[in-house]
Amino acid sequence: MRHAIILALAAGVPASGFAQDTAPDGPAMSYGQRPAYLADKLEDGELKDTLEACLGQSPERTDFSVGHRGAPLMFPEHTVQSNRAAARQGAGILECDVTFTKDKELVCRHAQNDLHTTTNILTTDLAEKCTQPFEPASGDTEASAECRTSDLTLEEFRTLEPKMDSSDPTAETAEAYQGGVAPFRTTAFADGADLMTHSESIELFRSLGAKFTPELKAPSVEMPFDGMTQEDYAQKLIDEYKAADVPPEDVWPQSFNLSDVRYWIDNTEYGGQAVYLDDRYEAEDEDEGLIDPTDPETFKPTMQELADMGVNYIAPPIWMLITLDDAGEIVPSAYAQEAKDAGLEIIAWSLERSGPLAEGGGWYFQSVNDTIDSDADYLTVLDVLAQDVGIAGMFSDWPATVTFYANCKGL
């Protein structure tokens, strides 16, 4: 019994005897233990005092807290169970990354070609349909595979069992390749998880009292695919919200492809909240080489040009929005200021994805890694993003942290 309660608390699942709140339009909510754990680690000061004073409050759902693939810190991503956990942690907006099957049905997967790391496909008879069947590790060559949703029909996709996103590059068998889960994650909640189609995610999220932020994933196959163009694909996503009578104000469609965003703006009622997922830091200029990620003036199109196109929301990774000043303090970056000056709303990604921060925050915190040395820095960075940058929302792999902060600060 004691073990069951500990797991429930860690997962943010209500357990008898602990503070929770039942929303009229969603499941019972609980912060679990993680927000208190992070607040305890903060250095003494105003932020710690403020947050610790909020630890006894009842959680409320907030659109500031966005479930990134649900709650994949502990649950298999893009599953029914992962999103239920995110909703119980107060996420007001939930995400389905959208891709398509061989018969052009929309399903929730982070990438069209991730089935070999997010499901059990390699240990089933469907493994022979994979674009690249499993190859065992040999010498200096790592084990590999590539299995796409477009390799399978929807009926075949539904037979797969989801798992924590992982693989073991040293594996000599397909069964061993299923391992490799990061030590800061867990398989405790992976058994019996359920995959979803995009349309099923709409019904689930609505039943949970949450809003919607679908991401149109870049296809791994050449487009058009069996007659379906990229614009057909972008429209199909919107059509499933229209068919479900979901109002545009409840949907934030996302894409890294600016053409998708512009299509939604120019051709649908759902373009006003279309989110441009900004990866221009990876772009290259023919004359100048790699664009300087610290200098937004080198980005094309510029922030103002995006706004002039009708883009209202931009979503960069956390590190692009912050930097260190001469005193080593975390402050808003020039990128953040340029976006705000152009009138763009900012959504950041993704908190709680880096694991323990004792030795720095890795990719998501690269612009401020010199000062990242404690898990408490999840809250420190979130505070700068919310109060100084002024973000409109935060994606998180464990939404309870963001929900707690947002509730405490009245966001």
Side-chain angles (χ1 to χ4, degrees):
M1 177 63 179
R2 177 176 175 272
H3 181 63
I5 291 177
I6 290 172
L7 287 178
L9 286 170
V13 177
S16 176
F18 297 92
Q20 56 183 295
D21 178 56
T22 302
D25 57 352
M29 287 183 286
S30 170
Y31 293 135
Q33 290 299 302
R34 186 158 178 79
Y37 165 80
L38 297 177
D40 285 346
K41 285 181 168 289
L42 283 166
E43 294 183 2
D44 290 343
E46 182 179 354
L47 180 59
K48 182 170 186 172
D49 291 344
T50 299
L51 295 180
E52 287 193 332
C54 293
L55 288 173
Q57 69 182 8
S58 295
E60 296 181 3
R61 194 173 318 287
T62 170
D63 290 353
F64 187 84
S65 180
V66 186
H68 179 239
R69 318 185 202 179
L73 182 65
M74 295 191 185
F75 291 81
E77 63 186 44
H78 289 306
T79 60
V80 171
Q81 290 73 17
S82 185
N83 283 285
R84 283 179 179 161
R88 289 175 178 135
Q89 293 172 34
I93 302 173
L94 298 175
E95 179 186 46
C96 169
D97 288 334
V98 179
T99 187
F100 54 85
T101 60
K102 185 176 182 179
D103 43 356
K104 294 179 285 188
E105 297 294 333
L106 302 185
V107 295
C108 299
R109 287 290 87 200
H110 180 64
Q112 189 167 51
N113 61 341
D114 73 2
L115 294 182
H116 51 289
T117 64
T118 64
T119 75
N120 68 335
I121 188 171
L122 292 178
T123 62
T124 74
D125 292 340
L126 292 174
E128 62 188 27
K129 296 194 173 187
C130 290
T131 295
Q132 180 204 322
F134 174 71
E135 291 287 342
S138 178
D140 294 332
T141 303
E142 295 184 345
S144 63
E146 183 183 0
C147 303
R148 303 174 178 176
T149 58
S150 53
D151 294 332
L152 308 179
T153 65
L154 177 59
E155 182 179 1
E156 291 169 332
F157 173 80
R158 288 187 184 280
T159 68
L160 299 177
E161 296 177 5
K163 68 179 191 68
M164 296 297 285
D165 185 12
S166 66
S167 61
D168 182 351
T170 68
E172 296 182 2
T173 66
E175 289 74 14
Y177 190 72
Q178 307 295 291
V181 176
F184 62 87
R185 298 183 183 274
T186 179
T187 59
F189 304 103
D191 185 51
D194 299 298
L195 298 172
M196 298 184 296
T197 67
H198 176 236
S199 61
E200 288 167 349
S201 79
I202 294 174
E203 293 309 312
L204 175 67
F205 298 174
R206 178 155 49 192
S207 75
L208 295 171
K211 299 174 184 177
F212 315 85
T213 185
E215 181 188 337
L216 196 74
K217 302 303 296 189
S220 298
V221 295
E222 185 176 348
M223 300 293 279
F225 176 78
D226 191 25
M228 181 172 69
T229 67
Q230 184 68 25
E231 290 187 350
D232 293 336
Y233 178 33
Q235 183 63 51
K236 189 175 179 67
L237 179 148
I238 297 300
D239 286 345
E240 295 200 348
Y241 289 94
K242 293 173 67 176
D245 293 322
V246 177
E249 59 267 26
D250 287 350
V251 185
W252 287 261
Q254 319 165 63
S255 181
F256 281 103
N257 183 347
L258 183 57
S259 295
D260 295 335
V261 176
R262 298 192 68 179
Y263 175 83
W264 292 324
I265 292 170
D266 294 339
N267 298 281
T268 78
E269 304 170 59
Y270 292 75
Q273 294 183 162
V275 181
Y276 175 39
L277 295 163
D278 193 358
D279 62 355
R280 288 175 294 170
Y281 56 88
E282 294 183 336
E284 292 188 10
D285 184 278
E286 291 182 359
D287 299 319
E288 303 296 332
L290 188 66
I291 289 176
D292 182 357
T294 66
D295 182 7
E297 292 185 1
T298 68
F299 287 19
K300 300 298 178 184
T302 66
M303 298 291 189
Q304 189 57 55
E305 287 170 341
L306 288 173
D308 292 344
M309 294 173 191
V311 176
N312 293 317
Y313 285 85
I314 193 167
I318 290 169
W319 66 267
M320 292 189 70
L321 295 168
I322 50 178
T323 189
L324 298 177
D325 64 13
D326 291 340
E329 298 295 321
I330 301 173
V331 296
S333 66
Y335 173 101
Q337 189 59 55
E338 289 275 349
K340 298 300 286 188
D341 288 347
L344 298 174
E345 296 282 0
I346 302 170
I347 303 173
W349 48 273
S350 297
L351 206 70
E352 298 277 26
R353 190 149 184 85
S354 303
L357 302 183
E359 298 180 1
W363 191 88
Y364 286 93
F365 296 86
Q366 60 187 275
S367 60
V368 295
N369 262 346
D370 287 348
T371 194
I372 300 296
D373 59 10
S374 165
D375 285 354
D377 288 321
Y378 278 121
L379 292 172
T380 304
V381 168
L382 180 58
D383 190 54
V384 172
L385 291 170
Q387 305 302 324
D388 301 333
V389 175
I391 62 173
M394 170 63 80
F395 280 96
S396 177
D397 280 28
W398 200 246
T401 301
V402 178
T403 302
F404 166 71
Y405 175 88
N407 286 177
C408 187
K409 291 286 189 172
L411 300 180

